[in-house]
Amino acid sequence: MIGIYDSGVGGLGIFNAIKQVLPNESILYYGDTKYFPFGERTGDDIRHITITAIKKLAQECSIVVIACNTASVNDLDYYREQVSIPLVGVVPVVKTAAALTKNGQIALLATTITTTADYTEKLIATYAGDKIVAKIACPGLASAIEHHTLTTEALKNYLQPIGAADIVVLGCTHYTLIKGQIQRLVGPDVKVIDSNEAVARQTLRVLQQAGTLSSNLQPTYTFECSGDRSQFLEQIKRYAHL
Ligand code: DGL
């Protein structure tokens, strides 16, 4: 069983990608909605909340995908030290953005925690040191997506600081759920990219290496959360490809 973890429904884009790449795997999706949003919490707080949930998932799952940039950048190595099962994280696709940009200008949209994390800084220095990378914190955007309250006007305001960038990196899994809407607003000359498929392929590789790929013809998909269940399930229906 694959465990997928996020603060809420943001990881459903990764759920959809994993379901496509690994159609025989059962999946337990866990949204830690009681603590949502992570993006405005302290690093210590997020570390504690995340490791507690991962340990719980590790009792049932042979691998956990941390489908949350905010939790992953802060910090994956620590979580890996704490559990014996493999963990796959999601971080902004800065390397791909650096390879794709034509004008050398990249916009990274993410939570406040992700835009200010040392990990993100290192990613940029390592892979996009010769590019202009605007780190754009979008407080409130993940919440508006989680609660389905986002207006086009509000989204336009979040996207305004992108300026002349020709690549937009979605560095928060929630934003990937409205990728189409973002792409329409920024126009065809700007490429909007995310990590969902790369994470699914990495999950496949890890399972292959561990020799634990399943051949189950009737995999199960289970959704759990730590907060209000009815609202969570409504969003699952909206975003999960079941
Ligand atoms: N989905 C999470 C991410 O990828 C963040 C949402 C939140 O702030 O809880 O960063």
Side-chain angles (χ1 to χ4, degrees):
M1 170 108 76
I2 299 176
I4 301 182
Y5 179 69
D6 181 43
S7 56
V9 295
L12 289 174
I14 286 178
F15 168 86
N16 292 333
I18 288 181
K19 196 168 163 276
Q20 273 229 310
V21 172
L22 290 155
N24 302 115
E25 303 292 331
S26 290
I27 300 174
L28 168 56
Y29 184 99
Y30 185 58
D32 221 347
T33 50
K34 187 173 165 191
Y35 303 106
F36 180 88
F38 285 1
E40 313 300 313
R41 288 180 176 274
T42 66
D44 279 351
D45 211 9
I46 295 166
R47 255 188 298 280
H48 176 70
I49 293 166
T50 303
I51 194 58
T52 306
I54 290 173
K55 283 183 176 167
K56 191 173 150 226
L57 286 169
Q59 291 169 7
E60 291 181 66
C61 303
S62 54
I63 181 170
V64 172
V65 178
I66 306 172
C68 176
N69 293 263
T70 309
S72 297
V73 298
N74 164 55
D75 72 65
L76 213 41
D77 291 341
Y78 166 73
Y79 310 136
R80 287 192 171 125
E81 281 161 18
Q82 304 289 314
V83 290
S84 53
I85 59 164
L87 299 179
V88 174
V90 57
V91 299
V93 277
V94 172
K95 192 177 173 184
T96 311
L100 289 175
T101 181
K102 292 196 172 72
N103 69 4
Q105 297 191 49
I106 298 165
L108 165 62
L109 304 182
T111 63
T112 306
I113 279 276
T114 301
T115 52
T116 53
D118 289 347
Y119 189 101
T120 307
E121 208 39 69
K122 276 187 212 137
L123 262 185
I124 293 171
T126 309
Y127 298 114
D130 58 340
K131 314 285 186 238
I132 298 168
V133 182
K135 294 185 291 178
I136 303 167
C138 305
L141 180 54
S143 298
I145 296 166
E146 178 82 14
H147 301 120
H148 201 55
T149 56
L150 184 64
T151 62
T152 305
E153 240 8 79
L155 183 56
K156 276 186 190 161
N157 286 335
Y158 282 115
L159 298 178
Q160 215 220 330
I162 286 171
D166 65 351
I167 304 290
V168 172
V169 177
L170 303 181
C172 168
T173 51
H174 278 78
Y175 308 168
T176 72
L177 300 178
I178 57 157
K179 187 178 181 179
Q181 223 174 315
I182 294 174
Q183 183 66 72
R184 276 193 295 281
L185 285 176
V186 296
D189 297 337
V190 179
K191 199 167 173 49
V192 180
I193 60 174
D194 66 56
S195 321
N196 292 353
E197 269 143 46
V199 170
R201 284 195 303 273
Q202 175 64 8
T203 308
L204 166 66
R205 273 193 295 273
V206 173
L207 288 178
Q208 275 170 338
Q209 273 160 16
T212 52
L213 272 178
S214 165
S215 51
N216 188 352
L217 294 178
Q218 284 178 313
T220 60
Y221 304 114
T222 311
F223 298 91
E224 287 178 11
C225 69
S226 52
D228 184 285
R229 191 162 167 78
S230 62
Q231 209 213 12
F232 180 69
L233 290 181
E234 215 173 285
Q235 290 288 73
I236 301 289
K237 273 190 236 142
R238 180 169 285 122
Y239 294 118
H241 302 161
L242 291 168

